[in-house]
Structure formats: C-alpha cells, structure tokens
C-alpha cells in the first residue's frame, strides 16, 4: 500500500506506456486533482507521464511495476470477452469493461490461468512469474496488478 507524497496520476484510458517504478492502482482511490477530489478506478497509473497532478499526499492500494511479467509470443487470436477466473481480482473486471468484446492474442502457456478468453489463457501465473499473451497496455496494467493479490512483499513509499 504505497504512500504517494506527490506525483501524477492517470485513468486507464489515458495510459500510453508502463515503466518500471510506476504504480498500478488496484482499488478505487479518491485523489485531489486541480482542487477537486476525483475517483480513479483500478488500473489507473501513478507515473511521471500522466496528465493529472496529485494535489495532496494519499495512500493507495497499488503495486509498483517491476520486471516479473513475461510477455509470451502469441501464435493465435481468439475473439471474445475476458473471463475472470478469480472473483477477488477486481482490476480484471475493470479491464473486461474497458476492452469489451474484441480479438486477443493467445498462446498455449504453462501455469495457472487467471484471465482467459473462450478458455484460452491471456494471463497465467507460473510460480512467481506472470505470463501475458497479449501486450496491450490495459492487459499489461492488469498483469502487474495481479502481483498485489499474489504477493506478500512490502511496498516502498513513493
């Protein structure tokens, strides 16, 4: 649960890229921006690249982006809607709403499927590694947010 002293934040549809050290929000948070409180949904990002300046310090339920997501080379496409196999994984429902019904890249991967489309894995967990078959920004944010639910590590103050 990082403490944000200052910085910038963006909603999921405003994210252009995800970089190491950014923070992916996993639960809704109210943040002071331009003198008003705005609610930012799961998959929002705290990053220097974001347009909204955070006006006061705030605790967020989030996870720092590291290098523990592996993007797997995808060999096939499947059309459909995200299927969330763990109902506790709140950010996946936000991603499902954002992406709707569309084509996703998928591949046969080892590990435990967490998010699928028509029973084909999109995000899987293999040990401590997260496997992602489609490199869209929304799915990359979602993959990093999975660490919040599978890890007990201490998060740094930012």
């Amino acid at each position: 649960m990082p403490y944000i002293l200052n910085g910038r934040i963006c909603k999921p549809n405003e994210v252009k890229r995800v970089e190491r050290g950014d923070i992916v929000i996993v639960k809704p948070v109210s943040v002071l921006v331009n003198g008003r409180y705005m609610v930012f949904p799961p998959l929002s990002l705290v990053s220097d690249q974001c347009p909204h300046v955070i006006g006061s310090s705030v605790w967020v339920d989030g996870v720092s982006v590291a290098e523990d997501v592996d993007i797997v080379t995808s060999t096939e496409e499947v059309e459909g809607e995200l299927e969330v196999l763990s109902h506790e994984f709140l950010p996946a429902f936000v991603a499902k709403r954002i992406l709707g019904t569309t084509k996703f890249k998928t591949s046969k991967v080892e590990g435990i499927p967490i998010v699928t489309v028509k029973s084909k894995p999109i995000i899987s967990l293999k040990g401590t590694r997260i496997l992602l078959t489609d490199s869209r920004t929304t799915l990359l944010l979602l993959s990093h947010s999975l660490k919040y639910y599978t890890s007990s590590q201490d998060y740094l103050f930012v």
Side-chain angles (χ1 to χ4, degrees):
M1 184 177 210
Y3 185 68
I4 311 298
L5 291 172
N6 55 36
R8 297 175 163 273
I9 190 168
C10 47
K11 293 186 177 185
N13 62 338
E14 299 171 323
V15 176
K16 303 295 184 232
R17 66 185 182 283
V18 181
E19 297 177 353
R20 185 180 176 100
D22 291 348
I23 297 173
V24 180
I25 305 297
V26 297
K27 293 184 181 175
V29 62
S30 294
V31 178
L32 183 65
V33 174
N34 294 330
R36 305 169 129 182
Y37 278 95
M38 292 177 58
V39 175
F40 287 83
L43 302 183
S44 294
L45 188 71
V46 177
S47 173
D48 292 338
Q49 64 157 323
C50 292
H52 308 288
V53 177
I54 298 171
S56 67
S57 53
V58 62
W59 286 100
V60 298
D61 282 305
V63 63
S64 183
V65 172
E67 295 181 8
D68 48 6
V69 172
D70 296 328
I71 299 175
V72 178
T73 303
S74 304
T75 55
E76 74 178 272
E77 282 189 346
V78 62
E79 186 171 352
E81 196 173 69
L82 293 179
E83 299 162 348
V84 184
L85 302 181
S86 175
H87 297 291
E88 296 82 21
F89 191 26
L90 177 64
F93 293 99
V94 174
K96 180 177 180 175
R97 175 78 180 209
I98 290 170
L99 296 171
T101 301
T102 189
K103 289 184 179 179
F104 295 91
K105 291 182 180 178
T106 187
S107 183
K108 178 101 170 127
V109 293
E110 295 180 12
I112 301 166
I114 305 296
V115 177
T116 62
V117 174
K118 293 191 177 174
S119 299
K120 304 278 186 175
I122 302 297
I123 299 174
S124 296
L125 189 60
K126 183 179 181 187
T128 60
R129 303 299 295 176
I130 298 165
L131 307 175
L132 173 65
T133 63
D134 189 310
S135 62
R136 267 181 257 202
T137 304
T138 301
L139 294 174
L140 190 56
L141 290 168
L142 183 59
S143 296
H144 284 289
S145 72
L146 180 58
K147 290 184 302 185
Y148 179 87
Y149 294 91
T150 61
S151 173
S152 62
Q153 77 181 40
D154 294 326
Y155 297 107
L156 300 175
F157 289 93
V158 179

